[in-house]
mmCIF file of all heavy atoms in Angstrom:
data_model
loop_
_atom_site.group_PDB
_atom_site.id
_atom_site.type_symbol
_atom_site.label_atom_id
_atom_site.label_comp_id
_atom_site.label_asym_id
_atom_site.label_seq_id
_atom_site.Cartn_x
_atom_site.Cartn_y
_atom_site.Cartn_z
ATOM 1 N N GLU A 38 -46.103 139.014 -151.081
ATOM 2 C CA GLU A 38 -47.310 138.495 -150.439
ATOM 3 C C GLU A 38 -47.782 137.178 -151.101
ATOM 4 O O GLU A 38 -48.232 136.250 -150.416
ATOM 5 C CB GLU A 38 -48.413 139.535 -150.459
ATOM 6 C CG GLU A 38 -48.203 140.752 -149.560
ATOM 7 C CD GLU A 38 -47.160 141.727 -150.130
ATOM 8 O OE1 GLU A 38 -46.901 141.653 -151.362
ATOM 9 O OE2 GLU A 38 -46.615 142.558 -149.357
ATOM 10 N N ASP A 39 -47.670 137.103 -152.423
ATOM 11 C CA ASP A 39 -47.993 135.938 -153.135
ATOM 12 C C ASP A 39 -47.125 134.754 -152.703
ATOM 13 O O ASP A 39 -47.625 133.649 -152.440
ATOM 14 C CB ASP A 39 -47.848 136.100 -154.646
ATOM 15 C CG ASP A 39 -48.879 137.069 -155.239
ATOM 16 O OD1 ASP A 39 -49.889 137.268 -154.660
ATOM 17 O OD2 ASP A 39 -48.535 137.647 -156.330
ATOM 18 N N ALA A 40 -45.817 135.003 -152.601
ATOM 19 C CA ALA A 40 -44.899 133.948 -152.182
ATOM 20 C C ALA A 40 -45.222 133.470 -150.772
ATOM 21 O O ALA A 40 -45.222 132.238 -150.536
ATOM 22 C CB ALA A 40 -43.443 134.449 -152.300
ATOM 23 N N ALA A 41 -45.488 134.384 -149.868
ATOM 24 C CA ALA A 41 -45.807 134.041 -148.510
ATOM 25 C C ALA A 41 -47.106 133.239 -148.464
ATOM 26 O O ALA A 41 -47.243 132.273 -147.698
ATOM 27 C CB ALA A 41 -45.902 135.274 -147.646
ATOM 28 N N THR A 42 -48.106 133.674 -149.271
ATOM 29 C CA THR A 42 -49.406 132.990 -149.228
ATOM 30 C C THR A 42 -49.273 131.551 -149.837
ATOM 31 O O THR A 42 -49.876 130.617 -149.346
ATOM 32 C CB THR A 42 -50.389 133.766 -150.102
ATOM 33 O OG1 THR A 42 -50.560 135.090 -149.494
ATOM 34 C CG2 THR A 42 -51.779 133.100 -150.123
ATOM 35 N N GLY A 43 -48.435 131.417 -150.868
ATOM 36 C CA GLY A 43 -48.188 130.098 -151.409
ATOM 37 C C GLY A 43 -47.565 129.168 -150.360
ATOM 38 O O GLY A 43 -47.985 127.991 -150.203
ATOM 39 N N LEU A 44 -46.563 129.670 -149.677
ATOM 40 C CA LEU A 44 -45.910 128.882 -148.618
ATOM 41 C C LEU A 44 -46.886 128.526 -147.504
ATOM 42 O O LEU A 44 -46.903 127.403 -146.977
ATOM 43 C CB LEU A 44 -44.671 129.626 -148.049
ATOM 44 C CG LEU A 44 -43.908 128.909 -146.983
ATOM 45 C CD1 LEU A 44 -43.408 127.512 -147.404
ATOM 46 C CD2 LEU A 44 -42.735 129.775 -146.513
ATOM 47 N N ARG A 45 -47.702 129.480 -147.140
ATOM 48 C CA ARG A 45 -48.706 129.262 -146.072
ATOM 49 C C ARG A 45 -49.675 128.140 -146.481
ATOM 50 O O ARG A 45 -50.008 127.287 -145.642
ATOM 51 C CB ARG A 45 -49.487 130.539 -145.782
ATOM 52 C CG ARG A 45 -50.427 130.425 -144.564
ATOM 53 C CD ARG A 45 -51.099 131.729 -144.269
ATOM 54 N NE ARG A 45 -50.091 132.806 -144.113
ATOM 55 C CZ ARG A 45 -50.398 134.112 -143.979
ATOM 56 N NH1 ARG A 45 -51.656 134.518 -143.894
ATOM 57 N NH2 ARG A 45 -49.425 135.020 -143.830
ATOM 58 N N ALA A 46 -50.105 128.085 -147.702
ATOM 59 C CA ALA A 46 -50.972 127.029 -148.184
ATOM 60 C C ALA A 46 -50.308 125.681 -148.017
ATOM 61 O O ALA A 46 -50.949 124.678 -147.653
ATOM 62 C CB ALA A 46 -51.399 127.303 -149.623
ATOM 63 N N ILE A 47 -49.009 125.642 -148.362
ATOM 64 C CA ILE A 47 -48.252 124.386 -148.254
ATOM 65 C C ILE A 47 -48.161 123.991 -146.797
ATOM 66 O O ILE A 47 -48.362 122.798 -146.410
ATOM 67 C CB ILE A 47 -46.867 124.531 -148.898
ATOM 68 C CG1 ILE A 47 -47.054 124.641 -150.391
ATOM 69 C CG2 ILE A 47 -45.965 123.383 -148.528
ATOM 70 C CD1 ILE A 47 -45.762 125.056 -151.137
ATOM 71 N N ILE A 48 -47.793 124.926 -145.923
ATOM 72 C CA ILE A 48 -47.628 124.617 -144.494
ATOM 73 C C ILE A 48 -48.952 124.143 -143.929
ATOM 74 O O ILE A 48 -49.010 123.277 -143.008
ATOM 75 C CB ILE A 48 -47.066 125.888 -143.768
ATOM 76 C CG1 ILE A 48 -45.614 126.075 -144.159
ATOM 77 C CG2 ILE A 48 -47.214 125.729 -142.245
ATOM 78 C CD1 ILE A 48 -45.023 127.409 -143.647
ATOM 79 N N ASN A 49 -50.033 124.718 -144.368
ATOM 80 C CA ASN A 49 -51.365 124.319 -143.863
ATOM 81 C C ASN A 49 -51.872 123.007 -144.466
ATOM 82 O O ASN A 49 -52.990 122.639 -144.180
ATOM 83 C CB ASN A 49 -52.372 125.447 -144.140
ATOM 84 C CG ASN A 49 -52.140 126.664 -143.297
ATOM 85 O OD1 ASN A 49 -51.550 126.608 -142.222
ATOM 86 N ND2 ASN A 49 -52.642 127.828 -143.722
ATOM 87 N N GLY A 50 -51.066 122.392 -145.260
ATOM 88 C CA GLY A 50 -51.419 121.087 -145.842
ATOM 89 C C GLY A 50 -52.432 121.163 -146.985
ATOM 90 O O GLY A 50 -53.117 120.180 -147.325
ATOM 91 N N GLU A 51 -52.485 122.314 -147.661
ATOM 92 C CA GLU A 51 -53.473 122.528 -148.692
ATOM 93 C C GLU A 51 -52.976 122.188 -150.105
ATOM 94 O O GLU A 51 -53.700 122.323 -151.074
ATOM 95 C CB GLU A 51 -53.988 123.979 -148.674
ATOM 96 C CG GLU A 51 -54.649 124.356 -147.316
ATOM 97 C CD GLU A 51 -54.852 125.859 -147.191
ATOM 98 O OE1 GLU A 51 -54.615 126.604 -148.142
ATOM 99 O OE2 GLU A 51 -55.262 126.301 -146.052
#
Side-chain angles (χ1 to χ4, degrees):
E38 290 77 17
D39 292 337
T42 300
L44 179 57
R45 186 175 308 175
I47 291 169
I48 289 172
N49 289 339
E51 300 167 6

